[in-house]
């Protein structure tokens, strides 16, 4: 008896395997004995797909980091970090907390898709039970103990040991999962943490985690640079404020107010108001060329010298500025400065002033808003011997004389003629209710001439000084 053979299917001997290059006929493929295996993918195609994925990831990271480095402030960088990270991990909302581990500040909290009240609700949860809080407090270090690692909670609703307050806030705000990333590198240290929130239970895939961690390390280094700049600005602003009057004098017949905005590099703009004999008052504003600590030091020396000259011969503003020019030329020949000094007799409402390359004062009142006509003169330190005639004016009761530095005009970014027109329009538009308060007049001018984005500590530009004197 012969050995039984396996049955054939559609005329093909199933005991005999087809060579790999042989195609299955169409009529046999319709009724296979078992599902046909997919054709093997060539190794070069797999490599090409992998390379294409790498190129795509690198291109995405390049675009995101390019957007990040264009940010110039800590809050803007945190917002860009939140936005880019949300795209990488597939989340819709998030919160970034800047809290440097050295304790020197500044501290900041920024949200994405979260209102201010929402951020406040999240902050009511004990930090030790939140993912970002554990990072900030160093409760989840890496195995080597140096830096914290990412903290993910893929299902907040199903987490049995979740803090009751955390569960309550998550339910109220409608998020069900979170992924927190430390803002920390070995060079920068721990600067803060960022957490993204998911509406449903979820967690980023391995590729997403890899990309967001690469992006997070770059963002941390960028934040560290901005942090150093911000701290330097704060120090410069503090020094500048210490070099300016801590308070303005109280003189019968006149009300005074001053406003000072320090530029990012720390310029040499200054103001002064000092009482003089027989009820007189000396008002001064000026600007020293340059920026940074050297300009601040020169500004302090110049202001102190002007005070001494004003006490000795304040009735003659030209003599005061002439002495100041001689001092500047002898002690700091490589530096120039502008200055304006006004000798005021408030009871008689009489002002005698002289300016050296400085912008003209502005008179603001019910019946007029006009610039004081002063003679053209060079800045101090630019001529072998400076001298210019003085100007006398008599403000009416209730009028305010506004002294300012050219940083107010330059920070607008307009040509000087348009900047002067802009300042005049702002002064003419002071509300009637504010005209009795020189501080309100100065604030209105600042808000109008320098709208949002041009005013404040983060605005790019020069120093701005305003000194307002309202005569009764």
């Amino acid at each position: 008896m012969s050995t039984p053979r396996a049955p054939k299917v559609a005329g093909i001997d199933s005991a005999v395997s087809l060579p790999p290059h042989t195609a299955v006929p169409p009529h046999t493929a319709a009724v296979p004995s078992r599902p046909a295996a997919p054709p093997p993918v060539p190794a070069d195609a797999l490599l090409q797909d992998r390379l294409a994925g790498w190129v795509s990831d690198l291109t995405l990271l390049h675009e995101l980091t390019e957007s990040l480095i264009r940010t110039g402030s800590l809050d803007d960088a945190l917002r860009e970090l939140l936005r880019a990270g949300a795209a990488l991990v597939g989340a819709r909302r998030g919160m970034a907390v800047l809290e440097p581990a050295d304790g020197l500040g500044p501290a900041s909290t920024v949200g994405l898709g979260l209102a201010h009240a929402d951020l406040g609700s999240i902050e009511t949860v004990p930090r030790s039970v939140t993912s970002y809080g554990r990072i900030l407090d160093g409760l989840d270090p890496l195995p080597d103990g140096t830096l914290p690692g990412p903290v993910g909670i893929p299902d907040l609703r199903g987490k049995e040991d979740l803090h009751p307050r955390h569960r309550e806030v998550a339910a109220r705000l409608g998020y069900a999962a979170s992924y927190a990333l430390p803002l920390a590198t070995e060079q920068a240290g721990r600067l803060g943490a960022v957490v993204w929130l998911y509406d449903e239970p979820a967690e980023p895939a391995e590729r997403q985690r890899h990309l967001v961690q690469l992006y997070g390390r770059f963002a941390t280094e960028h934040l560290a640079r901005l942090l150093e700049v911000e701290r330097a600005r704060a120090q410069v602003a503090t020094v500048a404020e210490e070099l300016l009057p801590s308070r303005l004098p109280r003189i019968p017949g006149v009300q005074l107010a001053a406003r000072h905005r320090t530029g990012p590099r720390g310029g040499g703009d200054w103001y002064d108001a000092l009482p003089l004999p027989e009820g007189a008052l000396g008002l001064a504003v000026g600007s020293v060329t340059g920026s940074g600590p050297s300009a601040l030091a020169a500004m302090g020396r110049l202001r102190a010298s002007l005070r001494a000259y004003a006490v000795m011969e304040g009735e003659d503003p030209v003599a005061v500025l002439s002495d100041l020019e001689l001092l500047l030329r002898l002690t700091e020949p490589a530096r120039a400065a502008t200055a304006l000094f006004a000798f005021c007799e408030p009871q008689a409402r009489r002002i005698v002033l002289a300016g050296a390359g400085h912008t003209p004062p502005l008179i603001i009142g019910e019946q007029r808003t006009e610039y004081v006509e002063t003679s053209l003169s060079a800045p101090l330190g630019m001529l072998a011997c400076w001298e210019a005639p003085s100007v006398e004016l008599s403000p009416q009761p209730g009028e305010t004389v506004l002294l300012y530095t050219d940083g107010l005009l330059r920070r607008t970014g307009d040509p000087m003629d348009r900047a002067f027109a802009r300042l005049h329009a702002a002064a003419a538009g002071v509300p009637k209710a504010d005209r009795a308060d020189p501080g309100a007049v100065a604030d209105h001018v600042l808000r109008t001439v320098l709208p949002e984005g041009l005013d404040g500590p983060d605005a790019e530009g020069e120093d701005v000084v305003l000194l307002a004197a309202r005569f009764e």
Side-chain angles (χ1 to χ4, degrees), residues 38-415:
V41 180
D44 56 347
L46 289 175
L47 181 59
Q48 289 178 1
D49 289 343
R50 184 172 299 179
L51 289 175
W54 289 343
V55 171
S56 176
D57 291 344
L58 290 175
T59 302
L60 177 60
L61 284 177
H62 175 74
E63 293 174 352
L64 295 178
T65 52
E66 283 289 317
S67 297
L68 180 65
I69 61 176
R70 285 194 291 267
T71 58
S73 69
L74 288 171
D75 281 357
D76 288 344
L78 290 173
R79 290 189 179 93
E80 178 61 26
L81 166 62
L82 276 173
R83 185 197 65 79
L88 289 174
V89 301
R92 189 173 61 90
R93 293 178 291 176
M95 180 178 73
V97 180
L98 181 69
E99 192 176 296
D102 58 13
L104 300 179
S108 177
T109 301
V110 175
L112 172 70
L114 296 171
H116 185 72
D118 298 335
L119 294 176
S121 297
I122 295 175
E123 290 176 342
T124 62
V125 180
R127 278 177 41 137
S128 60
V129 302
T130 62
S131 53
Y132 77 92
R134 296 185 67 82
I135 291 174
L136 292 173
D137 295 337
L139 301 178
D140 294 296
L142 291 177
D144 58 5
T146 55
L147 295 172
V151 180
I153 306 178
D155 187 1
L156 285 164
R157 299 165 186 167
K159 188 175 175 59
E160 295 182 356
D161 58 346
L162 190 67
H163 191 277
R165 180 58 181 167
H166 196 179
R167 190 183 304 277
E168 176 187 346
V169 171
R172 186 197 312 163
L173 300 183
Y175 63 88
S178 66
Y179 182 76
L181 186 72
L183 299 176
T185 63
E186 293 183 0
Q187 182 175 359
R190 190 174 70 250
L191 302 183
V194 58
V195 57
W196 290 280
L197 307 175
Y198 297 87
D199 297 340
E200 300 294 337
E203 62 179 340
E206 181 180 357
R207 170 180 169 272
Q208 292 173 310
R209 293 195 299 269
H210 177 66
L211 290 177
V212 78
Q213 289 178 35
L214 288 176
Y215 179 77
R217 285 196 289 270
F218 179 87
T220 301
E221 295 296 337
H222 181 63
L223 287 170
R225 291 189 291 269
L226 292 178
L227 184 64
E228 291 300 321
V229 172
E230 182 65 25
R231 288 176 174 177
R233 289 180 180 179
Q235 292 172 356
V236 168
T238 300
V239 172
E241 293 298 330
E242 290 295 327
L243 292 174
L244 295 176
S246 58
R247 61 183 180 87
L248 297 174
R250 295 184 178 181
I251 304 295
V254 64
Q255 295 176 284
L256 300 176
R259 299 293 184 266
H260 181 221
R261 299 290 186 270
T262 303
R265 295 178 298 276
D269 287 16
W270 55 275
Y271 68 91
D272 205 349
L274 65 156
L276 297 175
E278 299 180 0
L281 173 69
L283 300 177
V285 292
S287 178
V288 177
T289 56
S291 61
S294 63
L296 289 175
M299 177 263 282
R301 292 190 293 268
L302 200 68
R303 173 177 168 266
S305 301
L306 185 140
R307 291 176 68 91
Y309 297 143
V311 171
M312 292 187 295
E313 47 193 6
E315 295 184 8
D316 186 357
V318 172
V320 172
L321 294 185
S322 296
D323 293 343
L324 196 64
E325 192 276 337
L326 178 61
L327 176 72
L328 186 69
R329 181 157 44 88
L330 293 176
T331 59
E332 300 186 55
R335 194 180 297 276
T338 67
L340 186 147
F341 178 74
F343 175 79
C344 307
E345 294 176 307
Q347 298 295 337
R349 292 195 304 277
R350 173 177 175 267
I351 300 176
V352 181
L353 62 87
H358 204 81
T359 51
L362 189 60
I363 299 179
I364 306 171
E366 294 287 346
Q367 305 298 325
R368 60 174 176 169
T369 299
E370 60 187 25
Y371 289 104
V372 177
E373 293 186 5
T374 57
S375 59
L376 296 176
S377 64
L380 302 176
M382 296 190 68
L383 298 178
C385 181
W386 178 90
E387 186 171 347
S390 61
V391 176
E392 183 173 334
L393 63 144
S394 298
Q396 298 300 313
E399 288 187 333
T400 297
V401 177
L402 184 68
L403 311 182
Y404 56 94
T405 59
D406 59 358
L408 177 65
L409 306 174
R410 296 184 184 279
R411 193 178 280 198
T412 64
D414 295 334

